[in-house]
Amino acid sequence: MAQIVVIGAGMGAMAASARLAIAGHTVTVFEREQTYGGGVQRFERDGFGFDTGPGLLPLPAVYRDLFIKTGKQPLEDCVELVQVDPAVRHLFADGTTVDVPNASRAGTVDAIEAALGGGGGERWAQFLNRAREAWDRTRRPLLEEPLWEDWRVLGERDPYPAVRKSGLLRKRPPTFAEAMRHELADPRLIALVESSVLAYGLDPRTAPASAAVLPYMEQAFGTWYVRGGIRELARAVYERCLQRRVRFEFGAEVVGIVEKDGRAAGVELADGSVHEAAHVVAGTQAQGLTGHPLQDDDRDAVLDTERVRPGRFTVLLALSGAREAGAAHRTVVHTPDRKAELGALSGEFGPGAQPTVTVLRPDDPALRPDDGHESVVLTAVAHRTPEDFADRMITAAERAVPALRERTLWHEVRTHGPVPHPALAAAEARFLYPSNTTRLPGLHLVGGWSHPGGGLPHAGMSGALVAGRIVEGPDFRGSQ
């Protein structure tokens, strides 16, 4: 069996490490920070705890599969998974509230119709049917299989069967915003479905209609919380790696890929040491670690197209007072000015404009000093933010959390760089990611900036795809 070096200890990198180790390989992970988890981190202060990255887990089957394939203990023996219900509460500017039940199609249809009326529930049901078609057509190539060699095929035709207006001829497929405007009609229903797209920093006006798979995944497979916070999932994956004898070196920065006979042969660290390996798995953007392009020239031309990628802005709130009865775990507070918010995805928020804010209020004793306090996390996405952006977010969140400002003991602000979104079909392949294999034999890419893109499930799948290619070779055709 082979020596394998992994760069970075993010979720995708650790998922690959555990799978490679169970296959008999000797795996060493070099992580420049002092801990594991990548973007899945926790902040603690004064007895309060906060997830500073993802706060919820969609599609837990990916991590269930990881734990089944790498040991005797299933995922549920290592972390406590809790199904969130309602999955999300939507608060609109006109005062309308919609509680979306978890993984219940009929329940969601009824809730939307009761809140919005006018046939909104039926329009949602029809949208979900079309989104399911797009999911069925793209699930394998965009989540469970290595990126196709003829990847351009995935960009030629939008798999979402958008309804066309009678007599309207289009020279191109509709964008997500165009399709939703025609099919859903009600601005509140459009905002509801677009919130799943905005959460990844995607602009509905430029994203392909196939982005419908994002709200579909949540509706079909449910929304889950890990008791103690999502950081507990990272801990469980890390411990599974240790059980499989993966070795971690923290505070070890990789500065270069060692090449020999035209293939990756190890890594060089900042301290000058060299570590040889038969394969190198890069859980970071590895272009700067080599002296040549990682993909073929044609592919680079598509991937290097400059596209604005908004970042994630997070406010951590320590509150006095108990969480009130009936509070939702997750609330999306929609902006009263949708046009201003969409414009800010590529520019700046104008004076007084409020973003759409996601409010996470986990009812979890592990994240608060006692039952007389509460920890709350606010998130929003934007390209450039004004100095008072955190205050604007808190103002929006007051609609979801009673007496928010009066209860606030202190708050912390976290800004994150561009957030990778899941790979999407259509749009001339602009929303795909680099293949997990590269032009340099022996160098593999894992994590949110490689196929199949961002998000916890997709990071886990990237680990499965990389491990499959190394263990089974070029004949590997995807996860089963």
Side-chain angles (χ1 to χ4, degrees):
M1 290 297 168
Q3 292 278 348
I4 296 177
V5 163
V6 178
I7 306 172
M11 297 300 285
M14 290 197 296
S17 298
R19 289 176 181 272
L20 289 166
I22 198 70
H25 296 291
T26 301
V27 182
T28 302
V29 178
F30 293 104
E31 167 58 57
R32 68 178 179 179
E33 304 296 339
Q34 295 296 332
T35 188
Y36 55 85
V40 182
Q41 299 295 329
R42 174 184 289 156
F43 175 77
E44 296 179 342
R45 173 182 162 187
D46 300 338
F48 292 90
F50 307 86
D51 280 321
T52 59
L56 294 169
L57 175 65
L59 204 60
V62 171
Y63 288 92
R64 289 189 178 115
D65 180 74
L66 171 65
F67 277 73
I68 289 172
K69 299 289 178 58
T70 59
K72 294 181 180 180
Q73 280 187 305
L75 177 62
E76 280 81 354
D77 283 359
C78 302
V79 298
E80 182 182 354
L81 288 178
V82 181
Q83 203 167 20
V84 177
D85 202 10
V88 57
R89 173 172 293 164
H90 290 272
L91 296 182
F92 299 99
D94 66 355
T96 304
T97 299
V98 179
D99 281 358
V100 177
N102 202 332
S104 171
R105 176 192 174 98
T108 301
V109 169
D110 291 343
I112 289 174
E113 185 60 36
L116 305 184
E122 180 57 28
R123 287 196 297 275
W124 169 264
Q126 294 297 327
F127 157 73
L128 213 60
N129 287 339
R130 291 186 284 274
R132 182 181 60 198
E133 287 190 46
W135 168 257
D136 289 342
R137 293 169 181 172
T138 61
R139 176 179 60 87
R140 288 292 296 172
L142 290 188
L143 187 61
E144 299 173 351
E145 296 178 352
L147 187 65
W148 292 352
E149 291 186 10
D150 56 341
W151 53 268
R152 277 195 177 277
V153 173
L154 297 173
E156 290 176 357
R157 182 176 180 181
D158 196 318
Y160 180 77
V163 174
R164 303 288 197 270
K165 288 184 178 179
S166 177
L168 178 63
L169 297 177
R170 286 186 178 272
K171 293 182 179 180
R172 57 169 178 77
T175 65
F176 185 76
E178 290 169 340
M180 296 306 101
R181 187 165 58 247
H182 170 52
E183 297 175 17
L184 300 180
D186 190 316
R188 296 166 298 179
L189 191 54
I190 295 171
L192 184 153
V193 74
E194 283 186 349
S195 63
S196 298
V197 175
L198 285 168
Y200 286 103
L202 289 167
D203 188 335
R205 299 168 302 178
T206 57
S210 63
V213 299
L214 301 179
Y216 173 79
M217 282 174 55
E218 183 174 309
Q219 175 72 78
F221 304 110
T223 302
W224 301 78
Y225 175 67
V226 179
R227 186 70 67 188
I230 294 295
R231 176 66 177 175
E232 286 299 291
L233 177 64
R235 174 199 56 77
V237 176
Y238 171 68
E239 291 181 353
R240 177 54 54 90
C241 287
L242 294 180
Q243 292 166 6
R244 301 282 73 82
R245 303 194 179 191
V246 174
R247 185 165 66 94
F248 287 81
E249 295 285 345
F250 295 108
E253 181 180 4
V254 174
V255 296
I257 305 294
V258 176
E259 300 180 29
K260 184 177 180 180
D261 298 329
R263 63 173 288 118
V267 297
E268 180 184 357
L269 302 187
D271 63 8
S273 61
V274 172
H275 299 263
E276 296 182 351
H279 294 273
V280 176
V281 177
T284 60
Q285 297 191 59
Q287 182 62 61
L289 301 177
T290 66
H292 45 71
L294 296 181
Q295 308 295 327
D296 62 66
D297 294 337
D298 188 33
R299 182 124 181 79
D300 284 337
V302 174
L303 292 173
D304 290 343
T305 299
E306 290 192 6
R307 181 157 49 90
V308 172
R309 296 179 183 270
R312 180 176 287 137
F313 199 94
T314 303
V315 180
L316 315 177
L317 294 164
L319 306 185
S320 63
R323 183 178 186 266
E324 77 276 10
H329 187 121
R330 175 176 52 154
T331 301
V332 175
V333 182
H334 292 271
T335 178
D337 190 343
R338 192 70 163 174
K339 183 177 180 180
E341 178 178 51
L342 293 178
L345 290 177
S346 56
E348 296 181 355
F349 271 92
Q354 287 186 1
T356 290
V357 175
T358 298
V359 182
L360 294 180
R361 306 177 67 189
D363 187 10
D364 190 342
L367 301 182
R368 59 186 183 237
D370 53 53
D371 289 343
H373 294 82
E374 182 183 7
S375 66
V376 175
V377 177
L378 314 180
T379 59
V381 295
H383 180 49
R384 299 186 186 92
T385 56
E387 292 184 1
D388 66 342
F389 194 67
D391 189 67
R392 298 190 197 189
M393 291 175 63
I394 293 172
T395 297
E398 286 183 285
R399 293 168 51 201
V401 185
L404 175 59
R405 289 188 185 272
E406 293 83 352
R407 295 174 58 197
T408 300
L409 300 174
W410 49 264
H411 74 268
E412 292 272 349
V413 175
R414 294 285 186 274
T415 57
H416 309 269
V419 179
H421 57 76
L424 299 173
E428 298 178 337
R430 294 193 309 275
F431 293 85
L432 298 179
Y433 286 91
S435 171
N436 305 110
T437 55
T438 70
R439 293 177 67 183
L440 181 63
L443 176 61
H444 311 263
L445 306 181
V446 72
W449 295 104
S450 61
H451 180 74
L456 280 172
H458 295 71
M461 281 307 304
S462 74
L465 294 173
V466 166
R469 290 301 294 260
I470 292 175
V471 173
E472 298 186 28
D475 292 335
F476 176 69
R477 290 294 177 264
S479 178
Q480 300 300 318

